[in-house]
Structure formats: structure tokens, C-alpha cells
Amino acid sequence: MFSKLGHGSKEFLIIRACALLILFYTIYLGGFVIITEELDFNLWSTFFESTLNKMFTSIFFLAFAVHTWLGTWAVSSDYLTPRIFGNLGRILYVSFRGIVAAIIALILTWAIIIIW
């Protein structure tokens, strides 16, 4: 079924799946914060020592990266074009995508180092 979809439809579904993962993680983490009576560093640290929490947090950051990459691609390919900006459109598009890639790589690297 997935192979019959067009390029844009696949990205649409991937973005939505990543958004659901981000939502589930937010609810999970928010639930922990709300349920915990007194949240201190030791409890927070112990919570994140669990391999399950490390994996869930890593999945969150990967979903965040994919969601951000595809979402900014959709926006930039629609608005940073030669049709709108003339010859500057291609330069803006490539520059924007490079900056987004660098930010995503930095956040992912930082998150994985801290989590694991």
C-alpha cells in the first residue's frame, strides 16, 4: 500500500507519524511531571536512567529531526523559490536547508550524547 503513494503523500504520512510520536512522548513526560509530587534532580535523574526512557527519548528526538527536516522542506520548497525571489530563490533555499540540517545535526548529537 505504501509503495503506491506518491512522493508528497509519503512525506505527509511520515510527518504525521512523527507528530504522533512527539505527542505520545509529550503526554508520557507530562504525565510523569504531573503525577510526581515533588520533582527533584535525583528523581529526574533516576527516571532517565531507565533504558526504556532512554530509548523513548531517543525515538522522540529522531521523530523531531525527521518531522523538522520534512516540514521545513515542504515550506522552503513552496516559498523559497525563483518564482517568488527570482535568482536569489535558489540561494535562499540551499542556505536555509543547510542551516536547518546543521541545527538538526547539532540537536541530535547533543541529545544522544546527553541521553546515553
Side-chain angles (χ1 to χ4, degrees):
M1 179 192 117
F2 199 65
S3 62
K4 293 181 181 181
L5 296 174
H7 190 62
S9 297
K10 287 178 187 176
E11 273 91 8
F12 177 84
L13 291 176
I14 291 169
I15 288 171
R16 294 323 179 264
C18 289
L20 283 175
L21 287 170
I22 292 167
L23 174 66
F24 293 149
Y25 182 79
T26 303
I27 292 169
Y28 173 72
L29 195 59
F32 172 74
V33 170
I34 291 169
I35 289 172
T36 304
E37 287 183 25
E38 187 175 330
L39 191 59
D40 60 5
F41 176 78
N42 290 330
L43 184 60
W44 191 253
S45 180
T46 303
F47 177 75
F48 279 102
E49 283 178 6
S50 162
T51 303
L52 180 63
N53 286 333
K54 288 181 180 184
M55 289 174 41
F56 200 21
T57 303
S58 296
I59 291 168
F60 162 80
F61 277 104
L62 288 172
F64 161 79
V66 171
H67 184 85
T68 303
W69 181 250
L70 292 177
T72 56
W73 166 79
V75 171
S76 63
S77 65
D78 285 346
Y79 297 107
L80 299 178
T81 64
R83 179 177 52 86
I84 295 173
F85 290 101
N87 293 335
L88 187 60
R90 183 75 182 144
I91 295 167
L92 288 172
Y93 176 81
V94 171
S95 300
F96 177 73
R97 298 299 286 153
I99 291 168
V100 168
I103 291 170
I104 291 171
L106 177 70
I107 290 171
L108 264 181
T109 303
W110 169 76
I112 298 302
I113 289 170
I114 290 173
I115 293 166
W116 294 96

